[in-house]
Amino acid sequence: MKCLIIGLGNFGTTLAIELTNKGHEIIGVDHLEQRVEDIKDNISVAYIMDATERTALKQLPLDEMDCAIVCIGQSMDYSLRTVAALKELGVSKVYARAIDNTHQSILRAMSIKKIFIPEQYAARIIADRFTSNKAEELF
């Protein structure tokens, strides 16, 4: 599977590397040069670019991607603008990280069907493990 991951902070970088290790082809994008430098040897290709700009995104092989995953976690505005640009450019499968419930609601209104809030997901897993006396498996 070919995936575009936009936002290479902690979550996006971990996701990109894990998917690469599982045999997927990953193109990573971030506007910070250091983040791109840190991951470039661990994924297929990494680009420094402002993903909110449609003209920048047009330079990517979007028609070859099976999906785009927007992992931006520090700016709701940047995330929403990136999602909108991807949708305007015809990317059919766009998944997105939400910062909070309001962000999630806006993404739903934009017809994004796969939305995740990693902190909530991790908290549920930890709570389940504690409840089932498997806390030692967490760390």
Side-chain angles (χ1 to χ4, degrees), residues 95-129:
Y95 307 139
R97 172 188 187 169
I99 296 168
D100 57 26
N101 292 332
T102 300
H103 189 191
Q104 184 178 40
S105 178
I106 295 167
L107 289 166
R108 278 195 187 120
M110 296 173 76
S111 299
I112 302 301
K113 295 190 179 18
K114 303 290 184 184
I115 304 166
F116 44 91
I117 302 176
E119 297 84 359
Q120 289 180 359
Y121 181 73
R124 286 186 192 106
I125 290 172
I126 292 169
D128 287 346
R129 296 260 170 95

Short mmCIF file of all heavy atoms in Angstrom, two decimals, residues 95-129:
data_model
loop_
_atom_site.label_atom_id
_atom_site.label_comp_id
_atom_site.label_asym_id
_atom_site.label_seq_id
_atom_site.Cartn_x
_atom_site.Cartn_y
_atom_site.Cartn_z
N TYR A 95 -7.55 10.11 5.74
CA TYR A 95 -7.74 9.83 7.15
C TYR A 95 -7.11 10.98 7.92
O TYR A 95 -6.17 11.60 7.44
CB TYR A 95 -7.07 8.51 7.55
CG TYR A 95 -7.45 7.33 6.69
CD1 TYR A 95 -6.50 6.40 6.29
CD2 TYR A 95 -8.75 7.13 6.25
CE1 TYR A 95 -6.84 5.30 5.51
CE2 TYR A 95 -9.10 6.04 5.47
CZ TYR A 95 -8.13 5.13 5.11
OH TYR A 95 -8.46 4.05 4.33
N ALA A 96 -7.62 11.25 9.12
CA ALA A 96 -7.08 12.40 9.84
C ALA A 96 -7.05 12.20 11.34
O ALA A 96 -7.96 11.59 11.91
CB ALA A 96 -7.89 13.65 9.51
N ARG A 97 -6.01 12.74 11.93
CA ARG A 97 -5.90 12.82 13.38
C ARG A 97 -6.68 14.05 13.83
O ARG A 97 -6.59 15.11 13.20
CB ARG A 97 -4.44 12.99 13.75
CG ARG A 97 -4.23 13.28 15.22
CD ARG A 97 -2.81 13.64 15.50
NE ARG A 97 -2.63 13.74 16.95
CZ ARG A 97 -1.48 13.83 17.54
NH1 ARG A 97 -0.37 13.86 16.81
NH2 ARG A 97 -1.39 13.93 18.84
N ALA A 98 -7.43 13.89 14.90
CA ALA A 98 -8.14 15.03 15.48
C ALA A 98 -7.45 15.41 16.79
O ALA A 98 -6.99 14.54 17.53
CB ALA A 98 -9.60 14.71 15.72
N ILE A 99 -7.41 16.69 17.06
CA ILE A 99 -6.79 17.19 18.28
C ILE A 99 -7.76 17.06 19.45
O ILE A 99 -7.35 16.76 20.57
CB ILE A 99 -6.37 18.66 18.09
CG1 ILE A 99 -5.28 18.75 17.00
CG2 ILE A 99 -5.88 19.27 19.39
CD1 ILE A 99 -4.98 20.15 16.53
N ASP A 100 -9.04 17.28 19.17
CA ASP A 100 -10.06 17.20 20.22
C ASP A 100 -11.41 16.91 19.58
O ASP A 100 -11.50 16.69 18.36
CB ASP A 100 -10.10 18.50 21.04
CG ASP A 100 -10.35 19.74 20.19
OD1 ASP A 100 -10.96 19.64 19.10
OD2 ASP A 100 -9.96 20.84 20.62
N ASN A 101 -12.46 16.90 20.38
CA ASN A 101 -13.78 16.55 19.87
C ASN A 101 -14.33 17.57 18.88
O ASN A 101 -15.05 17.21 17.95
CB ASN A 101 -14.76 16.34 21.03
CG ASN A 101 -14.42 15.10 21.84
OD1 ASN A 101 -13.85 14.14 21.31
ND2 ASN A 101 -14.76 15.10 23.11
N THR A 102 -14.00 18.84 19.07
CA THR A 102 -14.44 19.87 18.12
C THR A 102 -13.79 19.64 16.76
O THR A 102 -14.46 19.67 15.72
CB THR A 102 -14.08 21.28 18.65
OG1 THR A 102 -14.74 21.48 19.89
CG2 THR A 102 -14.50 22.35 17.66
N HIS A 103 -12.51 19.37 16.76
CA HIS A 103 -11.77 19.08 15.53
C HIS A 103 -12.38 17.85 14.86
O HIS A 103 -12.60 17.83 13.64
CB HIS A 103 -10.31 18.86 15.88
CG HIS A 103 -9.40 18.76 14.71
ND1 HIS A 103 -8.09 18.35 14.85
CD2 HIS A 103 -9.55 18.99 13.39
CE1 HIS A 103 -7.50 18.34 13.67
NE2 HIS A 103 -8.37 18.73 12.76
N GLN A 104 -12.68 16.83 15.65
CA GLN A 104 -13.30 15.61 15.12
C GLN A 104 -14.64 15.92 14.47
O GLN A 104 -14.94 15.42 13.38
CB GLN A 104 -13.48 14.61 16.26
CG GLN A 104 -14.02 13.28 15.82
CD GLN A 104 -14.12 12.32 16.99
OE1 GLN A 104 -14.50 12.70 18.09
NE2 GLN A 104 -13.77 11.07 16.76
N SER A 105 -15.43 16.75 15.08
CA SER A 105 -16.73 17.12 14.54
C SER A 105 -16.60 17.85 13.20
O SER A 105 -17.35 17.58 12.25
CB SER A 105 -17.47 18.01 15.55
OG SER A 105 -18.70 18.43 15.04
N ILE A 106 -15.63 18.73 13.09
CA ILE A 106 -15.41 19.46 11.84
C ILE A 106 -14.94 18.50 10.75
O ILE A 106 -15.40 18.57 9.60
CB ILE A 106 -14.39 20.62 12.04
CG1 ILE A 106 -14.97 21.66 13.00
CG2 ILE A 106 -14.02 21.25 10.71
CD1 ILE A 106 -13.94 22.67 13.50
N LEU A 107 -14.05 17.59 11.10
CA LEU A 107 -13.59 16.60 10.12
C LEU A 107 -14.74 15.73 9.63
O LEU A 107 -14.83 15.41 8.45
CB LEU A 107 -12.47 15.74 10.72
CG LEU A 107 -11.13 16.45 10.92
CD1 LEU A 107 -10.22 15.62 11.82
CD2 LEU A 107 -10.47 16.73 9.58
N ARG A 108 -15.64 15.35 10.54
CA ARG A 108 -16.82 14.58 10.12
C ARG A 108 -17.67 15.39 9.15
O ARG A 108 -18.19 14.84 8.17
CB ARG A 108 -17.65 14.20 11.33
CG ARG A 108 -17.15 12.99 12.04
CD ARG A 108 -18.19 12.43 13.02
NE ARG A 108 -17.60 11.38 13.79
CZ ARG A 108 -17.50 11.39 15.11
NH1 ARG A 108 -17.98 12.39 15.82
NH2 ARG A 108 -16.93 10.38 15.73
N ALA A 109 -17.82 16.68 9.41
CA ALA A 109 -18.60 17.53 8.52
C ALA A 109 -17.95 17.65 7.15
O ALA A 109 -18.62 17.92 6.16
CB ALA A 109 -18.78 18.92 9.14
N MET A 110 -16.64 17.40 7.09
CA MET A 110 -15.90 17.42 5.82
C MET A 110 -15.93 16.04 5.15
O MET A 110 -15.22 15.80 4.19
CB MET A 110 -14.44 17.85 6.07
CG MET A 110 -14.30 19.27 6.58
SD MET A 110 -12.59 19.66 7.04
CE MET A 110 -11.86 19.88 5.41
N SER A 111 -16.72 15.14 5.70
CA SER A 111 -16.89 13.77 5.18
C SER A 111 -15.64 12.90 5.31
O SER A 111 -15.42 12.00 4.51
CB SER A 111 -17.36 13.80 3.72
OG SER A 111 -18.60 14.44 3.61
N ILE A 112 -14.85 13.16 6.35
CA ILE A 112 -13.72 12.29 6.66
C ILE A 112 -14.27 11.16 7.53
O ILE A 112 -14.77 11.40 8.62
CB ILE A 112 -12.59 13.05 7.39
CG1 ILE A 112 -12.11 14.23 6.55
CG2 ILE A 112 -11.44 12.11 7.72
CD1 ILE A 112 -11.59 13.87 5.18
N LYS A 113 -14.19 9.95 7.04
CA LYS A 113 -14.79 8.82 7.73
C LYS A 113 -13.86 8.17 8.75
O LYS A 113 -14.30 7.59 9.72
CB LYS A 113 -15.28 7.80 6.73
CG LYS A 113 -16.41 8.37 5.87
CD LYS A 113 -17.07 7.33 5.04
CE LYS A 113 -18.20 7.80 4.18
NZ LYS A 113 -18.35 9.16 3.88
N LYS A 114 -12.58 8.23 8.52
CA LYS A 114 -11.60 7.64 9.44
C LYS A 114 -10.89 8.76 10.19
O LYS A 114 -10.01 9.42 9.65
CB LYS A 114 -10.57 6.79 8.69
CG LYS A 114 -11.17 5.67 7.87
CD LYS A 114 -11.74 4.59 8.74
CE LYS A 114 -12.24 3.45 7.85
NZ LYS A 114 -12.89 2.41 8.56
N ILE A 115 -11.31 8.97 11.42
CA ILE A 115 -10.76 10.03 12.27
C ILE A 115 -10.30 9.38 13.56
O ILE A 115 -10.98 8.52 14.11
CB ILE A 115 -11.83 11.09 12.58
CG1 ILE A 115 -12.42 11.66 11.28
CG2 ILE A 115 -11.27 12.20 13.46
CD1 ILE A 115 -13.69 12.44 11.47
N PHE A 116 -9.14 9.78 14.05
CA PHE A 116 -8.64 9.19 15.27
C PHE A 116 -8.05 10.26 16.18
O PHE A 116 -7.51 11.26 15.72
CB PHE A 116 -7.59 8.11 14.97
CG PHE A 116 -6.60 8.51 13.91
CD1 PHE A 116 -5.42 9.13 14.25
CD2 PHE A 116 -6.88 8.27 12.58
CE1 PHE A 116 -4.52 9.51 13.26
CE2 PHE A 116 -5.98 8.65 11.58
CZ PHE A 116 -4.79 9.28 11.94
N ILE A 117 -8.21 10.05 17.47
CA ILE A 117 -7.59 10.89 18.49
C ILE A 117 -6.68 9.95 19.26
O ILE A 117 -7.13 9.20 20.13
CB ILE A 117 -8.64 11.56 19.41
CG1 ILE A 117 -9.61 12.41 18.58
CG2 ILE A 117 -7.95 12.40 20.47
CD1 ILE A 117 -10.75 13.04 19.38
N PRO A 118 -5.38 9.91 18.91
CA PRO A 118 -4.46 8.91 19.47
C PRO A 118 -4.42 8.88 20.99
O PRO A 118 -4.34 7.80 21.58
CB PRO A 118 -3.10 9.31 18.90
CG PRO A 118 -3.40 10.13 17.71
CD PRO A 118 -4.72 10.81 17.97
N GLU A 119 -4.49 10.03 21.63
CA GLU A 119 -4.43 10.06 23.09
C GLU A 119 -5.62 9.34 23.72
O GLU A 119 -5.47 8.61 24.71
CB GLU A 119 -4.36 11.51 23.59
CG GLU A 119 -3.12 12.26 23.15
CD GLU A 119 -3.21 12.86 21.74
OE1 GLU A 119 -4.25 12.70 21.06
OE2 GLU A 119 -2.23 13.48 21.32
N GLN A 120 -6.81 9.50 23.13
CA GLN A 120 -7.99 8.81 23.66
C GLN A 120 -7.88 7.31 23.43
O GLN A 120 -8.22 6.51 24.30
CB GLN A 120 -9.26 9.35 23.00
CG GLN A 120 -9.63 10.74 23.45
CD GLN A 120 -10.90 11.25 22.78
OE1 GLN A 120 -11.50 10.58 21.98
NE2 GLN A 120 -11.28 12.46 23.13
N TYR A 121 -7.39 6.92 22.27
CA TYR A 121 -7.23 5.50 21.95
C TYR A 121 -6.23 4.85 22.91
O TYR A 121 -6.50 3.78 23.47
CB TYR A 121 -6.76 5.35 20.50
CG TYR A 121 -6.58 3.93 20.07
CD1 TYR A 121 -7.68 3.10 19.83
CD2 TYR A 121 -5.31 3.40 19.90
CE1 TYR A 121 -7.51 1.78 19.45
CE2 TYR A 121 -5.13 2.08 19.50
CZ TYR A 121 -6.23 1.28 19.28
OH TYR A 121 -6.06 -0.02 18.91
N ALA A 122 -5.09 5.51 23.12
CA ALA A 122 -4.08 4.97 24.03
C ALA A 122 -4.62 4.88 25.45
O ALA A 122 -4.38 3.88 26.16
CB ALA A 122 -2.82 5.83 24.00
N ALA A 123 -5.36 5.88 25.89
CA ALA A 123 -5.93 5.87 27.24
C ALA A 123 -6.90 4.71 27.41
O ALA A 123 -6.92 4.05 28.47
CB ALA A 123 -6.63 7.20 27.53
N ARG A 124 -7.71 4.40 26.39
CA ARG A 124 -8.64 3.26 26.48
C ARG A 124 -7.88 1.94 26.60
O ARG A 124 -8.27 1.06 27.37
CB ARG A 124 -9.55 3.25 25.26
CG ARG A 124 -10.61 4.32 25.30
CD ARG A 124 -11.60 4.17 24.13
NE ARG A 124 -12.40 5.37 24.05
CZ ARG A 124 -12.27 6.32 23.13
NH1 ARG A 124 -11.39 6.19 22.16
NH2 ARG A 124 -13.04 7.38 23.16
N ILE A 125 -6.82 1.79 25.83
CA ILE A 125 -6.02 0.56 25.89
C ILE A 125 -5.40 0.40 27.28
O ILE A 125 -5.45 -0.68 27.87
CB ILE A 125 -4.93 0.56 24.80
CG1 ILE A 125 -5.58 0.40 23.42
CG2 ILE A 125 -3.90 -0.54 25.05
CD1 ILE A 125 -4.62 0.59 22.27
N ILE A 126 -4.84 1.47 27.80
CA ILE A 126 -4.22 1.41 29.13
C ILE A 126 -5.27 1.09 30.19
O ILE A 126 -5.05 0.24 31.06
CB ILE A 126 -3.47 2.72 29.43
CG1 ILE A 126 -2.25 2.83 28.51
CG2 ILE A 126 -3.05 2.79 30.91
CD1 ILE A 126 -1.57 4.18 28.53
N ALA A 127 -6.42 1.73 30.11
CA ALA A 127 -7.49 1.46 31.08
C ALA A 127 -7.96 0.01 30.99
O ALA A 127 -8.17 -0.64 32.03
CB ALA A 127 -8.67 2.41 30.83
N ASP A 128 -8.09 -0.51 29.79
CA ASP A 128 -8.49 -1.92 29.62
C ASP A 128 -7.45 -2.85 30.23
O ASP A 128 -7.80 -3.84 30.89
CB ASP A 128 -8.69 -2.26 28.14
CG ASP A 128 -9.96 -1.66 27.56
OD1 ASP A 128 -10.83 -1.21 28.34
OD2 ASP A 128 -10.07 -1.64 26.32
N ARG A 129 -6.19 -2.57 30.01
CA ARG A 129 -5.12 -3.42 30.54
C ARG A 129 -5.10 -3.37 32.07
O ARG A 129 -4.90 -4.39 32.72
CB ARG A 129 -3.77 -3.01 29.98
CG ARG A 129 -3.66 -3.21 28.49
CD ARG A 129 -2.93 -4.48 28.14
NE ARG A 129 -3.01 -4.81 26.75
CZ ARG A 129 -2.10 -4.51 25.83
NH1 ARG A 129 -1.03 -3.84 26.15
NH2 ARG A 129 -2.27 -4.87 24.58
#
